[in-house]
Amino acid sequence: MVAHLLWEQRVAGSNPVIPTISSPEDAKRLYSVYLGNINSGESPLSEGIPNDMRSNPKYRKTTARGSHPLPSGHTPLPLDKPTLSVQEAALVLHKSMDTITRYCKKGILFAQEVSYGSKKTYVIPRQSILIYMQDQIQKQELEKRQRLQVVPQQPKTEEHGGYLNRFRKALESGLLENKVYSQRTVDDYIYYLEQYFAKYEVIFPDHLETELIAMAHTKAKKVHYYKAVACFTRYLVQKKVVSEELLKEIKKLRPPENKNPKRHVVRLNEMVLLESACQTKLELLILRLLAYTGIRVSEACNLNWEDIDWEGARLVIWKGKGDKSRNVSIPTKAMEVLYSYRESVKPAIGEMPIFLNRDGNRMTPRGMHDRLDALGKRVGIKTHPHALRRAFVTISAHHGIPVVALQHQCGHVHLSTTTKYLRSTEDEVLEITRSINW
């Protein structure tokens, strides 16, 4: 009775998406639309039926408990029948019997509970089935309209230049996601974005995909390029310049990263060879300071003589990654070289940089990297600043220094970052496992 009254109300009302059902022909037409939507595999009408499983024979067993009948095996809607059983409703709506029973219990389908022997089942009015189909078709139409909504107009080329400047400031000041990005990351992002906007006017998935395909043989650059564009898109979404949908499409293009990259670590015996190959006190200071303190190359280049606490044997890193300051202890071997190098540099006071290039200016991270690279080539050992930083963590941990202490020394926010540096070389693993005797 309730279902009948609801049906009468629905018939009397108007529907902006589906015509009012007032005759058996209208019901047939409605059912045809419903079946057509299922055959097209569109959500939500075909929920629970994977497209690649439609040909699986077990999904055609419509009488099996929990099965999903397929469109090819449907039973025509019995328009002359006033009520349907749970099994008939499952065949008509292409749902499992369990789903139909659940719909009846929750009131999604208006039905009358009846006893069948010792079990209980439901009798579902024909009108209730038609109402359900009408609701599903209308729901799908509304979803289509939402998907086809016009995306806000993208900013013009000249506007992007302004956004880039504000984007840089947001990264440096922590206005984007409450995170302060390192200067190196900011410079890299701006570099790649300037390359992008030299070719294209707006952020668009197809443009990004074209650039990433062209970088097929440079995986690292490919990842950095994507991260720059994705981060900039997040900023534009925050400023409501572009829609969330654009960001979702950009994220689909994320290139796979190597989860276990081959990281180079300078071993203890190689350190001895590198020290013997140093030709100047400056080379020895660079090598020992990075390897014995674990500081970043950018932090080393920013050091001034006044940042050294000679009595306490420590460095003061005023602006590390993320503009964070910390104190770093200096081991004896590094202090010895610092004393020796100070005597050879005049004057070595105040705000003067510790590391100077050949022109007398502050040494850059690139310049320090090149000096270590040249040093390594003399003895055939691959050497760069970050390899020495990893060597500090690995060797120190092997000598029993707690990982938490190493985390502070390296300036890592998360302990997991420090543990990633603890990479045993293949030779070390073979040497250790060779000594195992069960």
Side-chain angles (χ1 to χ4, degrees), residues 265-269 389-404 406 418-432:
V265 178
V266 178
R267 292 179 289 185
L268 193 57
N269 61 329
R389 182 169 160 86
R390 287 199 186 96
F392 164 76
V393 176
T394 303
I395 297 172
S396 298
H398 286 178
H399 282 76
I401 297 179
V403 179
V404 176
L406 297 176
T418 311
T419 57
K420 288 178 182 178
Y421 282 46
L422 300 174
R423 304 288 184 184
S424 296
T425 63
E426 185 178 358
D427 292 341
E428 290 172 332
V429 173
L430 291 174
E431 185 64 30
I432 294 171

Side-chain angles (χ1 to χ4, degrees), residues 146-190:
Q146 291 175 356
R147 289 198 299 266
L148 295 175
Q149 282 181 348
V150 179
V151 178
Q153 187 176 4
Q154 306 288 346
K156 298 179 182 179
T157 308
E158 57 268 23
E159 294 176 328
H160 274 161
Y163 283 125
L164 278 180
N165 293 332
R166 282 177 279 178
F167 174 64
R168 175 192 284 273
K169 293 177 181 178
L171 295 182
E172 294 173 340
S173 58
L175 296 178
L176 179 61
E177 303 165 343
N178 295 322
K179 177 182 177 182
V180 178
Y181 288 74
S182 68
Q183 192 59 47
R184 178 180 176 182
T185 301
V186 174
D187 293 340
D188 284 348
Y189 281 5
I190 297 299

Side-chain angles (χ1 to χ4, degrees), residues 53-108:
M53 295 297 292
R54 290 176 176 271
S55 59
N56 193 321
K58 79 172 185 177
Y59 283 88
R60 297 186 181 276
K61 295 180 181 178
T62 59
T63 58
R65 183 177 180 84
S67 63
H68 292 272
L70 289 178
S72 59
H74 74 272
T75 300
L77 181 65
L79 297 175
D80 298 333
K81 199 172 181 180
T83 60
L84 286 77
S85 66
V86 172
Q87 183 177 352
E88 289 172 332
L91 289 168
V92 168
L93 296 178
H94 292 244
K95 303 287 183 182
S96 69
M97 293 175 62
D98 285 346
T99 301
I100 296 298
T101 302
R102 188 172 69 252
Y103 283 1
C104 293
K105 288 180 180 179
K106 291 185 176 181
I108 298 174

Side-chain angles (χ1 to χ4, degrees), residues 59-324:
Y59 283 88
R60 297 186 181 276
K61 295 180 181 178
T62 59
T63 58
R65 183 177 180 84
S67 63
H68 292 272
L70 289 178
S72 59
H74 74 272
T75 300
L77 181 65
L79 297 175
D80 298 333
K81 199 172 181 180
T83 60
L84 286 77
S85 66
V86 172
Q87 183 177 352
E88 289 172 332
L91 289 168
V92 168
L93 296 178
H94 292 244
K95 303 287 183 182
S96 69
M97 293 175 62
D98 285 346
T99 301
I100 296 298
T101 302
R102 188 172 69 252
Y103 283 1
C104 293
K105 288 180 180 179
K106 291 185 176 181
I108 298 174
L109 286 174
F110 302 106
Q112 180 180 358
E113 185 177 322
V114 296
S115 297
Y116 182 73
S118 60
K119 298 181 180 179
K120 291 184 178 181
T121 185
Y122 292 90
V123 175
I124 307 165
R126 174 188 59 187
Q127 293 92 332
S128 180
I129 300 294
L130 293 174
I131 289 174
Y132 175 81
M133 289 191 295
Q134 191 177 32
D135 286 342
Q136 292 299 301
I137 295 171
Q138 185 176 14
K139 181 180 179 181
Q140 184 179 355
E141 290 294 331
L142 292 175
E143 287 183 352
K144 283 183 178 179
R145 289 184 182 183
Q146 291 175 356
R147 289 198 299 266
L148 295 175
Q149 282 181 348
V150 179
V151 178
Q153 187 176 4
Q154 306 288 346
K156 298 179 182 179
T157 308
E158 57 268 23
E159 294 176 328
H160 274 161
Y163 283 125
L164 278 180
N165 293 332
R166 282 177 279 178
F167 174 64
R168 175 192 284 273
K169 293 177 181 178
L171 295 182
E172 294 173 340
S173 58
L175 296 178
L176 179 61
E177 303 165 343
N178 295 322
K179 177 182 177 182
V180 178
Y181 288 74
S182 68
Q183 192 59 47
R184 178 180 176 182
T185 301
V186 174
D187 293 340
D188 284 348
Y189 281 5
I190 297 299
Y191 171 75
Y192 288 121
L193 287 169
E194 286 176 346
Q195 285 187 341
Y196 178 91
F197 290 122
K199 295 182 180 180
Y200 309 107
E201 295 182 355
V202 295
I203 298 291
F204 193 65
D206 289 352
H207 299 335
L208 176 59
E209 186 175 17
T210 301
E211 294 303 305
L212 295 179
I213 291 174
M215 301 177 187
H217 301 293
T218 54
K219 292 183 179 180
K221 183 179 179 181
K222 190 175 181 179
V223 172
H224 293 160
Y225 194 98
Y226 163 80
K227 287 182 177 180
V229 176
C231 187
F232 183 69
T233 307
R234 291 199 303 272
Y235 174 76
L236 295 181
V237 170
Q238 179 178 295
K239 293 298 180 181
K240 298 182 179 180
V241 177
V242 298
S243 67
E244 287 277 359
E245 294 299 320
L246 177 62
L247 181 58
K248 290 179 181 178
E249 293 299 318
I250 293 294
K251 287 182 177 180
K252 292 178 182 179
L253 300 175
R254 182 185 182 93
E257 296 187 49
N258 187 0
K259 294 183 179 180
N260 295 303
K262 190 174 181 181
R263 297 183 175 96
H264 178 65
V265 178
V266 178
R267 292 179 289 185
L268 193 57
N269 61 329
E270 292 176 332
M271 278 293 299
V272 177
L273 293 175
L274 289 170
E275 288 188 4
S276 64
C278 291
Q279 297 176 349
T280 63
K281 292 181 180 180
L282 177 60
E283 288 182 350
L284 185 60
L285 177 60
I286 292 173
L287 180 68
R288 283 195 177 180
L289 194 66
L290 293 179
Y292 283 86
T293 64
I295 62 175
R296 300 179 178 91
V297 61
S298 58
E299 294 169 345
C301 292
N302 288 331
L303 286 174
N304 297 330
W305 286 107
E306 64 180 359
D307 298 332
I308 300 176
D309 179 359
W310 298 96
E311 294 182 1
R314 63 179 182 176
L315 293 171
V316 180
I317 307 296
W318 291 107
K319 282 192 174 183
K321 190 173 183 180
D323 281 342
K324 298 184 180 73

